[in-house]
Amino acid sequence: MDLTNSEIQLIKAFKKGDTAAFKSLFERYHKRLYSFLFRLLKSKEDAEEIVQETFLKIWETRESYWEEYPFESLLFRIARNTSLNYVRKKVNRKVFEDHLNFFTEGSESPADQYILFQETQSIIDTILNGLPPKQKEVFLLQKVEGLSRQEIAERLGISVITVDHQLFKANKQVKEEFKKFHLLMINIFLL
C-alpha cells in the first residue's frame, strides 16, 4: 500500500472517530506544521498553540472532510488561517491595551482603573449595539471569534463578497464612532 492509499485509509478511519488514526495523522504532520508556523510566527509557544488549535479544528470537522482532498493541503490552509486570525487578535488586543494604558497612566488607583475599564467597555458596547444586526454579527465573528471571511460566509450562509461588504461598513462605522468617544474621553481626562 503506497502512502496515498495508507493516508486515505487513515482519513477514512479518522472520519469515523478513530483516535488512533487521528494520532497517526498528528504524528505524521506535527513537526512539519510546527516548523511552518514557527517560521511564520517566530514564537515557539504561539506555533505550538496554533498546531494544537489546527488539529482540534480538524478533529471537530472530521465528518465533513472529503477523503480524496489532500489532507496536508487542508491542514496547512487551516493552520495559516488560524495563525492569521491569532495574529489579528493579538494586534487588536495590543491596540486596545495601548488605548487603555494611555488613559490609566495618570491614575494610580485600582478603583479609578476599574471605573475606566467599565466605561471603556460601555463605550464599546454602545458602538457595537449601534451597528445594524448583520454588520454586528459579521464584525463580532471576525474580531471576537477570530473567524476568517470564508468561515463567516459558511457559518452565515452568505457569500464572501457580502461578508467583505458588511465588514467594510462595520469597520468604517466603528472607527468613526470610536473617534467621537475617544475625543470625549480625552476631554474628560483633561478637565
Side-chain angles (χ1 to χ4, degrees):
M1 190 183 281
D2 66 10
L3 183 63
T4 305
N5 287 334
S6 70
E7 187 168 300
I8 289 173
Q9 295 307 314
L10 275 175
I11 290 169
K12 284 182 179 180
F14 149 73
K15 277 186 67 168
K16 293 177 183 172
D18 183 337
T19 56
F22 180 67
K23 183 179 178 187
S24 294
L25 289 168
F26 179 85
E27 290 170 354
R28 184 177 286 192
Y29 291 104
H30 175 267
K31 287 182 182 173
R32 276 188 282 166
L33 188 61
Y34 173 82
S35 296
F36 166 75
L37 290 166
F38 181 74
R39 285 192 309 273
L40 201 62
L41 300 168
K42 309 288 189 253
S43 164
K44 292 178 182 180
E45 295 81 16
D46 291 348
E48 191 57 47
E49 185 174 334
I50 301 301
V51 166
Q52 297 299 324
E53 193 172 328
T54 299
F55 276 99
L56 179 63
K57 285 181 181 181
I58 291 280
W59 176 258
E60 289 173 345
T61 60
R62 69 187 176 279
E63 293 172 356
S64 63
Y65 180 70
W66 183 47
E67 293 101 357
E68 287 75 26
Y69 188 81
F71 183 79
E72 184 174 10
S73 297
L74 176 68
L75 185 68
F76 279 79
R77 185 178 55 121
I78 289 173
R80 185 181 60 80
N81 289 341
T82 303
S83 66
L84 290 173
N85 290 334
Y86 180 79
V87 169
R88 185 182 310 123
K89 280 183 189 177
K90 262 181 126 169
V91 168
N92 288 340
R93 187 177 322 122
K94 175 78 172 122
V95 168
F96 178 76
E97 288 171 356
D98 288 349
H99 274 42
L100 191 57
N101 287 338
F102 171 77
F103 290 117
T104 59
E105 282 175 356
S107 171
E108 297 297 322
S109 164
D112 287 346
Q113 291 179 2
Y114 177 76
I115 291 169
L116 182 59
F117 176 79
Q118 292 296 331
E119 287 299 316
T120 304
Q121 187 63 48
S122 176
I123 290 169
I124 292 169
D125 290 342
T126 300
I127 291 170
L128 293 178
N129 289 332
L131 293 174
K134 189 57 85 175
Q135 283 181 25
K136 180 181 176 183
E137 183 177 24
V138 170
F139 184 85
L140 291 175
L141 287 172
Q142 185 190 47
K143 302 295 184 189
V144 176
E145 292 189 32
L147 298 181
S148 69
R149 295 166 29 251
Q150 181 65 41
E151 290 169 328
I152 295 168
E154 290 169 5
R155 181 179 286 188
L156 300 179
I158 58 178
S159 71
V160 174
I161 293 171
T162 302
V163 170
D164 288 342
H165 182 68
Q166 295 292 339
L167 283 173
F168 174 78
K169 288 172 29 180
N171 283 325
K172 183 178 177 185
Q173 186 170 341
V174 166
K175 284 178 186 174
E176 288 172 3
E177 293 299 315
F178 202 101
K179 284 179 188 174
K180 291 176 193 174
F181 280 108
H182 193 264
L183 290 174
L184 176 66
M185 294 292 281
I186 289 172
N187 287 332
I188 289 170
F189 281 97
L190 294 178
L191 292 177

